[in-house]
Amino acid sequence: MIRLEGITKSFGHPVLKGVSLEVPENSLYGLIGPGASGKSVILKIITGLLRPDSGSVHVADKNVLAMGDLELQEFRRQIGMLFQNNALFDFMTVTDNIAFPLRRLFDLPDDEVLRRVEERLECVSLPGFGHRMPSGLSGGQKKRVGVARATISRAPIVLYDEPAAGLDPVTSQKIFELLRHEQQTSGATVLMVSSDLERMLTVTDYVGMMYRGQLIFQGTTEEAKASSDPYVHQFVHGLPEGPL
């Protein structure tokens, strides 16, 4: 479970204003809202990459804000993350990109690392792509490589930041279906930030909506779709006019 309580964060101006958020264990939670509403900042706070100005952060019953550097390093072994821009290393092959978390965080024999890479490539429908360089991949293929890297360590917690950004609708739907399949197969607790609501809401269990630094809604996906809150209703249903 991921639990944030009363989180505030400012960068010269308030970005998060008392956010309390809870992601149930073994669920897929979608965090939505307009741009610059604090969604990506929340992901960085959960991983300990940013410290909030106030509030508490608990992940799997561990107090993230009380951790020292060594504890944070060990804690991050339990988290997989897909960054918004994929963050693939241009100078590494697909195999080396996917293997990077295992080689950095774990002491595994190389044959075991390569076995897991091949397994991940099969799972994301990219068998035989290990020798390729990122420059030779399409946008959708890069996302799939990013998913493979985020899940290769079999982390119980996975964070996705805009996993379908820049993709066409068909490829975007395939990515979300892949993420749902991965979550159901692994039983991981997943928190996902995405602007592609139409497709993301086909795979989520729960939804939270950020607006002007505050969490104004939290509930099941069906509750989000049925919400009478004008901000939530407009955003979820993509209405062109309204309070936003």
Side-chain angles (χ1 to χ4, degrees):
M1 178 186 291
I2 300 170
R3 187 172 71 254
L4 280 63
E5 295 183 353
I7 296 295
T8 65
K9 183 65 180 178
S10 296
F11 297 98
H13 63 281
V15 175
L16 299 178
K17 307 172 185 177
V19 173
S20 295
L21 177 153
E22 186 171 300
V23 181
E25 191 173 0
N26 309 126
S27 69
L28 199 163
Y29 186 110
L31 190 59
I32 65 176
S37 58
K39 303 184 296 296
S40 295
V41 173
I42 286 175
L43 296 187
K44 292 177 182 178
I45 287 175
I46 290 171
T47 62
L49 294 173
L50 281 177
R51 291 187 66 87
D53 299 327
S54 63
S56 64
V57 181
H58 288 82
V59 179
D61 296 323
K62 297 177 182 177
N63 184 350
V64 177
L65 302 185
M67 294 179 182
D69 291 341
L70 291 178
E71 290 175 294
L72 276 173
Q73 183 176 338
E74 183 63 28
F75 165 68
R76 289 177 185 138
R77 293 174 183 243
Q78 306 302 310
I79 298 178
M81 183 159 184
L82 174 66
F83 296 93
Q84 185 171 344
N85 63 355
N86 304 315
L88 300 181
F89 298 108
D90 292 338
F91 57 90
M92 288 185 180
T93 64
V94 166
T95 289
D96 289 336
N97 265 285
I98 296 173
F100 184 78
L102 292 185
R103 290 171 173 162
R104 183 172 65 90
L105 298 173
F106 302 94
D107 183 18
L108 294 173
D110 203 50
D111 59 344
E112 173 62 13
V113 171
L114 294 178
R115 186 192 68 78
R116 290 200 192 183
V117 170
E118 290 301 318
E119 175 189 69
R120 289 289 83 201
L121 285 171
E122 288 283 349
C123 287
V124 299
S125 301
L126 291 176
F129 275 64
H131 67 285
R132 298 198 186 187
M133 304 298 289
S135 60
L137 303 178
S138 68
Q141 289 168 341
K142 288 179 182 178
K143 290 292 183 183
R144 288 175 181 271
V145 172
V147 172
R149 185 171 65 182
T151 57
I152 193 169
S153 63
R154 300 170 183 167
I157 299 160
V158 186
L159 309 177
Y160 296 111
D161 193 0
E162 295 289 355
L167 301 180
D168 64 84
V170 173
T171 304
S172 177
Q173 184 64 50
K174 289 180 179 178
I175 290 295
F176 283 120
E177 289 172 358
L178 170 63
L179 300 186
R180 182 58 170 174
H181 175 75
E182 286 293 320
Q183 186 274 327
Q184 290 178 326
T185 300
S186 66
T189 301
V190 175
L191 176 58
M192 176 193 305
V193 169
S194 180
S195 301
D196 189 349
L197 300 192
E198 180 180 354
R199 277 157 280 279
M200 185 185 75
L201 295 179
T202 67
V203 301
T204 52
D205 299 307
Y206 299 93
V207 174
M209 181 171 170
M210 294 292 298
Y211 182 62
R212 294 182 178 177
Q214 297 180 307
L215 188 74
I216 65 169
F217 173 85
Q218 183 166 229
T220 66
T221 301
E222 292 308 311
E223 288 170 342
K225 292 177 179 178
S227 175
S228 59
D229 181 287
Y231 297 96
V232 178
H233 182 75
Q234 180 199 353
F235 200 76
V236 167
H237 295 282
L239 301 180
E241 297 182 358
L244 294 181

